[in-house]
PDB file of all heavy atoms in Angstrom:
ATOM      1  N   PHE A1245     169.879 143.951 121.671  1.00 54.00           N
ATOM      2  CA  PHE A1245     171.272 144.178 122.051  1.00 54.00           C
ATOM      3  C   PHE A1245     171.682 143.032 122.950  1.00 54.00           C
ATOM      4  O   PHE A1245     170.843 142.363 123.549  1.00 54.00           O
ATOM      5  CB  PHE A1245     171.434 145.518 122.780  1.00 54.00           C
ATOM      6  CG  PHE A1245     170.497 145.674 123.932  1.00 54.00           C
ATOM      7  CD1 PHE A1245     170.829 145.207 125.177  1.00 54.00           C
ATOM      8  CD2 PHE A1245     169.250 146.260 123.750  1.00 54.00           C
ATOM      9  CE1 PHE A1245     169.954 145.331 126.231  1.00 54.00           C
ATOM     10  CE2 PHE A1245     168.377 146.390 124.808  1.00 54.00           C
ATOM     11  CZ  PHE A1245     168.727 145.930 126.047  1.00 54.00           C
ATOM     12  N   SER A1250     176.882 139.873 130.743  1.00 56.00           N
ATOM     13  CA  SER A1250     175.824 140.228 131.695  1.00 56.00           C
ATOM     14  C   SER A1250     174.727 139.164 131.742  1.00 56.00           C
ATOM     15  O   SER A1250     174.635 138.291 130.895  1.00 56.00           O
ATOM     16  CB  SER A1250     175.222 141.581 131.330  1.00 56.00           C
ATOM     17  OG  SER A1250     174.464 141.454 130.156  1.00 56.00           O
ATOM     18  N   LEU A1253     168.564 138.696 132.223  1.00 58.00           N
ATOM     19  CA  LEU A1253     167.489 139.416 132.883  1.00 58.00           C
ATOM     20  C   LEU A1253     167.839 140.891 133.029  1.00 58.00           C
ATOM     21  O   LEU A1253     167.011 141.763 132.794  1.00 58.00           O
ATOM     22  CB  LEU A1253     167.217 138.797 134.252  1.00 58.00           C
ATOM     23  CG  LEU A1253     166.028 139.366 134.982  1.00 58.00           C
ATOM     24  CD1 LEU A1253     164.754 139.046 134.214  1.00 58.00           C
ATOM     25  CD2 LEU A1253     165.952 138.814 136.369  1.00 58.00           C
ATOM     26  N   GLU A1254     169.093 141.182 133.383  1.00 60.00           N
ATOM     27  CA  GLU A1254     169.519 142.574 133.494  1.00 60.00           C
ATOM     28  C   GLU A1254     169.469 143.260 132.139  1.00 60.00           C
ATOM     29  O   GLU A1254     169.097 144.424 132.033  1.00 60.00           O
ATOM     30  CB  GLU A1254     170.922 142.652 134.084  1.00 60.00           C
ATOM     31  CG  GLU A1254     170.979 142.279 135.556  1.00 60.00           C
ATOM     32  CD  GLU A1254     172.397 142.263 136.078  1.00 60.00           C
ATOM     33  OE1 GLU A1254     173.297 142.799 135.413  1.00 60.00           O
ATOM     34  OE2 GLU A1254     172.605 141.705 137.163  1.00 60.00           O
ATOM     35  N   GLU A1255     169.887 142.537 131.094  1.00 59.00           N
ATOM     36  CA  GLU A1255     169.830 143.096 129.744  1.00 59.00           C
ATOM     37  C   GLU A1255     168.406 143.490 129.378  1.00 59.00           C
ATOM     38  O   GLU A1255     168.180 144.524 128.765  1.00 59.00           O
ATOM     39  CB  GLU A1255     170.326 142.073 128.717  1.00 59.00           C
ATOM     40  CG  GLU A1255     171.807 141.932 128.650  1.00 59.00           C
ATOM     41  CD  GLU A1255     172.201 140.996 127.528  1.00 59.00           C
ATOM     42  OE1 GLU A1255     171.503 140.953 126.499  1.00 59.00           O
ATOM     43  OE2 GLU A1255     173.209 140.313 127.689  1.00 59.00           O
ATOM     44  N   ALA A1256     167.457 142.668 129.763  1.00 56.00           N
ATOM     45  CA  ALA A1256     166.067 142.944 129.403  1.00 56.00           C
ATOM     46  C   ALA A1256     165.552 144.198 130.097  1.00 56.00           C
ATOM     47  O   ALA A1256     164.655 144.858 129.591  1.00 56.00           O
ATOM     48  CB  ALA A1256     165.193 141.749 129.755  1.00 56.00           C
ATOM     49  N   LEU A1257     166.114 144.546 131.246  1.00 54.00           N
ATOM     50  CA  LEU A1257     165.642 145.713 131.989  1.00 54.00           C
ATOM     51  C   LEU A1257     166.315 147.012 131.567  1.00 54.00           C
ATOM     52  O   LEU A1257     165.844 148.087 131.892  1.00 54.00           O
ATOM     53  CB  LEU A1257     165.839 145.492 133.487  1.00 54.00           C
ATOM     54  CG  LEU A1257     164.918 144.440 134.097  1.00 54.00           C
ATOM     55  CD1 LEU A1257     165.282 144.202 135.552  1.00 54.00           C
ATOM     56  CD2 LEU A1257     163.468 144.849 133.966  1.00 54.00           C
ATOM     57  N   HIS A1258     167.433 146.938 130.861  1.00 60.00           N
ATOM     58  CA  HIS A1258     168.097 148.159 130.399  1.00 60.00           C
ATOM     59  C   HIS A1258     167.211 148.869 129.394  1.00 60.00           C
ATOM     60  O   HIS A1258     166.603 148.262 128.528  1.00 60.00           O
ATOM     61  CB  HIS A1258     169.452 147.829 129.760  1.00 60.00           C
ATOM     62  CG  HIS A1258     170.482 147.423 130.749  1.00 60.00           C
ATOM     63  ND1 HIS A1258     170.940 148.250 131.733  1.00 60.00           N
ATOM     64  CD2 HIS A1258     171.137 146.252 130.926  1.00 60.00           C
ATOM     65  CE1 HIS A1258     171.837 147.614 132.454  1.00 60.00           C
ATOM     66  NE2 HIS A1258     171.967 146.394 131.997  1.00 60.00           N
ATOM     67  N   ASP A1259     167.156 150.174 129.487  1.00 62.00           N
ATOM     68  CA  ASP A1259     166.370 151.004 128.575  1.00 62.00           C
ATOM     69  C   ASP A1259     164.936 150.504 128.451  1.00 62.00           C
ATOM     70  O   ASP A1259     164.358 150.504 127.372  1.00 62.00           O
ATOM     71  CB  ASP A1259     167.017 151.051 127.185  1.00 62.00           C
ATOM     72  CG  ASP A1259     168.370 151.721 127.226  1.00 62.00           C
ATOM     73  OD1 ASP A1259     168.554 152.605 128.092  1.00 62.00           O
ATOM     74  OD2 ASP A1259     169.222 151.362 126.404  1.00 62.00           O
ATOM     75  N   ASN A1260     164.370 150.087 129.553  1.00 64.00           N
ATOM     76  CA  ASN A1260     163.001 149.589 129.559  1.00 64.00           C
ATOM     77  C   ASN A1260     162.063 150.771 129.706  1.00 64.00           C
ATOM     78  O   ASN A1260     162.012 151.410 130.750  1.00 64.00           O
ATOM     79  CB  ASN A1260     162.816 148.595 130.716  1.00 64.00           C
ATOM     80  CG  ASN A1260     161.459 147.973 130.733  1.00 64.00           C
ATOM     81  OD1 ASN A1260     160.555 148.392 130.013  1.00 64.00           O
ATOM     82  ND2 ASN A1260     161.292 146.957 131.562  1.00 64.00           N
ATOM     83  N   THR A1261     161.298 151.054 128.662  1.00 68.00           N
ATOM     84  CA  THR A1261     160.350 152.165 128.711  1.00 68.00           C
ATOM     85  C   THR A1261     158.934 151.684 128.999  1.00 68.00           C
ATOM     86  O   THR A1261     158.020 152.496 129.075  1.00 68.00           O
ATOM     87  CB  THR A1261     160.359 152.925 127.375  1.00 68.00           C
ATOM     88  OG1 THR A1261     160.011 152.030 126.333  1.00 68.00           O
ATOM     89  CG2 THR A1261     161.720 153.543 127.105  1.00 68.00           C
ATOM     90  N   GLN A1268     160.713 148.752 138.335  1.00 78.00           N
ATOM     91  CA  GLN A1268     162.055 148.311 137.964  1.00 78.00           C
ATOM     92  C   GLN A1268     162.980 148.325 139.179  1.00 78.00           C
ATOM     93  O   GLN A1268     163.749 147.385 139.398  1.00 78.00           O
ATOM     94  CB  GLN A1268     162.633 149.210 136.871  1.00 78.00           C
ATOM     95  CG  GLN A1268     161.973 149.048 135.529  1.00 78.00           C
ATOM     96  CD  GLN A1268     162.646 149.904 134.470  1.00 78.00           C
ATOM     97  OE1 GLN A1268     163.867 150.014 134.448  1.00 78.00           O
ATOM     98  NE2 GLN A1268     161.846 150.519 133.617  1.00 78.00           N
ATOM     99  N   ARG A1272     164.753 145.082 140.816  1.00 80.00           N
ATOM    100  CA  ARG A1272     166.214 144.965 140.870  1.00 80.00           C
ATOM    101  C   ARG A1272     166.723 144.758 142.294  1.00 80.00           C
ATOM    102  O   ARG A1272     167.793 144.172 142.482  1.00 80.00           O
ATOM    103  CB  ARG A1272     166.863 146.199 140.255  1.00 80.00           C
ATOM    104  CG  ARG A1272     166.703 146.223 138.759  1.00 80.00           C
ATOM    105  CD  ARG A1272     167.393 147.402 138.140  1.00 80.00           C
ATOM    106  NE  ARG A1272     167.077 147.460 136.720  1.00 80.00           N
ATOM    107  CZ  ARG A1272     167.673 148.249 135.867  1.00 80.00           C
ATOM    108  NH1 ARG A1272     168.629 149.055 136.270  1.00 80.00           N
ATOM    109  NH2 ARG A1272     167.328 148.246 134.609  1.00 80.00           N
TER     110      ARG A1272
END
Side-chain angles (χ1 to χ4, degrees):
F1245 53 87
S1250 71
L1253 186 65
E1254 289 176 15
E1255 282 185 32
L1257 290 175
H1258 288 297
D1259 296 330
N1260 184 350
T1261 59
Q1268 290 183 40
R1272 288 183 187 190

